[in-house]
Amino acid sequence: MAGEKFTSDVVIGLEIHAEMATQSKLFCGCSTHGTDEPNTRTCEVCLGMPGSKPVLNRKAVDFALKLCLALNCRIAPQLVFSRKSYFYPDMAKNYQISQYEIPLGKKGSLKLKSGKEVGITRVHIEEDPAALVHPSGMERSTYVLVDYNRSGDPLCEIVTDPELESPSEARDFMKQLITVLNYLSIFDINRCIIKADCNVSIKESGYVRAEIKNVTGFKEIERALKYEVERQKKEVHEGNSLKQETRAWDPDLGITRPMRTKEVEEEYGYILDPDLTVIDITDEMVSAVEQDMPELAESKIEKYVKEYNLKKEDAEILSQEKLLADLFEKVAEEIDPVLAAKWLRRELVRVLNYSKKKLAEIELDERHLIDLLKLVEEKKITETTGQNLIEKLLQEPFDVKEYVENQGLAAVSDKGELEKFCKEAVEENPKAVEDLKQGNENSLNFLVGQVMRKTKGKAVPKEVNEILRKLVG
Ligand code: ZN
Ligand code: MN
């Protein structure tokens, strides 16, 4: 695209490769996961042996179609594969099977958190090359090993229009894209890899573009882009002219360094792959995939705000992960949604973060969670007790109602009993009482703390507060 069309200070476009979570590879029956012993998940097809023929994995096509629909792309009428020719040890047959002339999807869009719509140029399917292993690091190894386990894994390539205007926008784009991939269940965040090539240029240079290859993770993408923008500005300010080039990101040093001057797509000598017949993408195929589409995060956010009266921020956090959103909706059928949102968003997410666990990794029975929140909603247990119980519940499932009864955790709601504890606290702490009379509010907190200790956290602080104020006068 011509540089003079741009106006913003920074112009960023992303080319993202996301590995799709199919069981088998794109053109053979080898498994995409399992043992990591090098070169064990291979066959003549993914090793590129002469005479071997690729057979297309239908599941990968359905997965990619799902993504195209979620990104509002126009779907191509035909599925056409091409050979992208290049010589490199990661590609034994010297070409990668990809899509070039007609991508599966084009002219789509994805909405950022800010509401800005970013154009998607194209979405296409291609195979992953093998992995090159440098035994003593990229810089020092005198030889390289090749592991073909990854060779032929199904990838979706997503190319954005050059419309991102800052490194943080690029990061948010990746975050929104991962949310979509997660909702569609076509990407497994625990085993699949997502990488981005980042094109970036600045106004001051007349938009001379650098491409940073293979940046992994959305925080890294923001970091690499921030560095590259600053580097380009510095070069221009020092009077140097930039050249169009490909650069590598070094996450350890936090810098980009030159790799090669950029080749253009035409140099790859694309030809249609004669081993793969052109397949018509029929309306039936598309509507079958459409029927299987889940409600996406964007529409959930809207629903939570409108129907459940949640704050937008709460709705965004709850819908970021499909599992959490599903859990919230189940809980909200029986508990006040605002209360449910508050507890899931604050307490559940807090405990998960603290224990460094993902929702998918724990054995959480929503029935137990609903029982717990019902006790909170009906004020039968205090918030403090509820918080303790959530921590326990995420370690192992148990019957919450029974436990509260057996352990005597019910909230002290008997006014007389509460007053007794408050009176004790007042008698035992004359100094704090005196300070409170002088207007020192901290000593009220201290007294409330004393009562909470006496009741083992089973009193409602607000009620204790009121009683203490009355007692002290
Ligand atoms: Zn294979
Ligand atoms: Mn590619």
Side-chain angles (χ1 to χ4, degrees):
M1 211 162 276
E4 53 273 20
K5 280 169 82 176
F6 301 127
T7 52
S8 64
D9 290 341
V10 175
V11 173
I12 297 169
L14 300 174
E15 289 178 30
I16 299 141
H17 287 95
E19 185 186 340
M20 293 187 278
T22 54
Q23 292 302 316
S24 56
K25 294 186 180 179
L26 187 53
F27 297 114
C28 62
C30 293
S31 179
T32 52
H33 57 289
T35 166
D36 283 328
E37 179 75 22
N39 296 308
T40 51
R41 291 184 277 109
T42 57
C43 69
E44 62 278 12
V45 174
C46 53
L47 289 172
M49 290 187 179
S52 63
K53 298 280 185 225
V55 177
L56 180 61
N57 180 346
R58 173 66 195 266
K59 197 88 196 170
V61 178
D62 285 348
F63 277 14
L65 269 174
K66 253 189 183 177
L67 181 60
C68 287
L69 291 174
L71 295 178
N72 313 303
C73 287
R74 290 190 204 159
I75 309 285
Q78 286 179 321
L79 193 60
V80 182
F81 285 99
S82 291
R83 295 178 172 185
K84 176 179 181 176
S85 303
Y86 68 92
F87 172 78
Y88 213 60
D90 66 1
M91 190 52 80
K93 58 188 189 300
N94 288 349
Y95 61 82
Q96 177 190 27
I97 305 178
S98 179
Q99 293 190 287
Y100 180 59
E101 297 82 354
I102 307 174
L104 181 63
K106 59 181 185 182
K107 297 202 170 126
S109 65
L110 179 63
K111 203 186 262 178
L112 300 183
K113 194 170 176 229
S114 64
K116 172 175 170 176
E117 300 250 1
V118 177
I120 307 288
T121 316
R122 56 187 278 147
V123 174
H124 73 245
I125 305 171
E126 65 185 28
E127 60 176 341
D128 207 353
L132 296 181
V133 183
H134 300 82
S136 17
M138 186 92 82
E139 302 287 296
R140 288 193 303 153
S141 296
T142 52
Y143 62 94
V144 65
L145 300 168
V146 189
D147 180 1
Y148 285 91
N149 280 347
R150 207 178 73 190
S151 170
D153 277 354
L155 303 180
C156 235
E157 181 169 334
I158 302 119
V159 181
T160 74
D161 292 341
E163 292 179 346
L164 296 159
E165 292 175 37
S166 67
S168 65
E169 266 193 5
R171 175 185 174 155
D172 188 46
F173 180 90
M174 291 301 288
K175 213 170 157 191
Q176 303 304 329
L177 179 66
I178 289 173
T179 299
V180 170
L181 292 166
N182 167 275
Y183 266 76
L184 300 177
S185 307
I186 63 174
F187 177 79
D188 179 347
I189 201 145
N190 297 313
R191 77 170 164 89
C192 298
I193 297 170
I194 186 161
K195 282 188 219 163
D197 298 341
C198 317
N199 289 306
V200 53
S201 63
I202 57 171
K203 190 186 221 163
E204 286 131 285
S205 74
Y207 303 108
V208 177
R209 200 170 71 198
E211 179 178 1
I212 316 167
K213 288 299 243 187
N214 282 337
V215 191
T216 314
F218 57 86
K219 280 180 200 148
E220 282 300 286
I221 283 164
E222 184 180 25
R223 245 182 102 212
L225 283 168
K226 266 189 184 158
Y227 172 85
E228 182 58 20
V229 167
E230 287 312 311
R231 186 194 69 82
Q232 292 185 8
K233 280 188 181 160
K234 193 160 163 271
E235 293 283 346
V236 172
H237 290 165
E238 286 172 1
N240 303 322
S241 63
L242 297 175
K243 56 179 183 297
Q244 186 167 325
E245 62 178 347
T246 302
R247 301 179 68 87
W249 168 241
D250 184 329
D252 298 328
L253 297 180
I255 60 165
T256 64
R257 57 162 83 91
M259 275 171 84
R260 54 176 184 258
T261 46
K262 168 87 178 149
E263 63 287 306
V264 290
E265 282 297 313
E266 290 75 39
E267 286 166 10
Y268 285 112
Y270 283 95
I271 54 160
L272 294 187
D273 193 315
D275 287 338
L276 289 155
T277 48
V278 171
I279 298 168
D280 285 332
I281 301 172
T282 60
D283 291 347
E284 289 74 44
M285 258 173 97
V286 176
S287 59
V289 172
E290 233 157 6
Q291 306 230 312
D292 204 29
M293 291 280 283
E295 183 186 17
L296 295 175
E298 207 187 310
S299 114
K300 281 195 191 289
I301 293 172
E302 210 168 291
K303 184 170 85 180
Y304 294 173
V305 171
K306 267 196 201 139
E307 286 175 29
Y308 295 150
N309 278 323
L310 299 194
K311 286 195 198 117
K312 183 146 188 266
E313 198 201 337
D314 288 344
E316 279 168 355
I317 290 179
L318 289 172
S319 55
Q320 214 168 71
E321 200 189 328
K322 186 169 186 296
L323 266 184
L324 185 60
D326 289 345
L327 179 64
F328 166 68
E329 287 177 23
K330 276 184 201 141
V331 174
E333 277 172 25
E334 297 188 47
I335 306 289
D336 168 31
V338 175
L339 182 98
K342 182 181 132 189
W343 278 77
L344 260 62
R345 197 217 130 152
R346 283 199 211 142
E347 297 308 323
L348 185 73
V349 172
R350 172 184 66 87
V351 180
L352 286 172
N353 287 345
Y354 179 75
S355 54
K356 293 197 171 64
K357 278 192 179 143
K358 298 205 178 80
L359 195 50
E361 292 169 336
I362 56 166
E363 243 185 284
L364 179 65
D365 182 334
E366 75 244 13
R367 197 59 253 166
H368 294 151
L369 188 64
I370 291 169
D371 285 348
L372 195 167
L373 293 182
K374 206 156 231 159
L375 292 171
V376 174
E377 189 174 39
E378 290 167 355
K379 297 203 161 48
K380 289 192 175 140
I381 57 172
T382 64
E383 299 219 344
T384 315
T385 307
Q387 285 161 352
N388 293 336
L389 288 175
I390 263 200
E391 277 173 33
K392 209 173 141 53
L393 202 53
L394 294 194
Q395 282 161 17
E396 52 172 358
F398 61 91
D399 186 324
V400 175
K401 276 194 247 170
E402 208 177 276
Y403 185 82
V404 165
E405 214 163 282
N406 292 344
Q407 302 290 314
L409 294 175
V412 180
S413 51
D414 180 330
K415 272 274 153 63
E417 202 178 341
L418 262 188
E419 256 176 43
K420 193 192 86 192
F421 285 124
C422 290
K423 271 182 191 149
E424 272 177 35
V426 166
E427 275 159 25
E428 287 162 12
N429 300 284
K431 170 100 177 49
V433 172
E434 204 41 53
D435 288 350
L436 179 59
K437 281 183 178 157
Q438 304 296 325
N440 182 349
E441 288 292 310
N442 280 339
S443 44
L444 179 62
N445 292 340
F446 171 78
L447 288 170
V448 172
Q450 295 304 306
V451 178
M452 293 305 286
R453 206 164 51 91
K454 284 173 188 292
T455 62
K456 299 194 177 68
K458 292 184 290 181
V460 178
K462 200 167 151 265
E463 287 175 18
V464 174
N465 216 304
E466 279 161 17
I467 296 173
L468 282 170
R469 270 191 199 283
K470 255 186 223 151
L471 285 175
V472 176

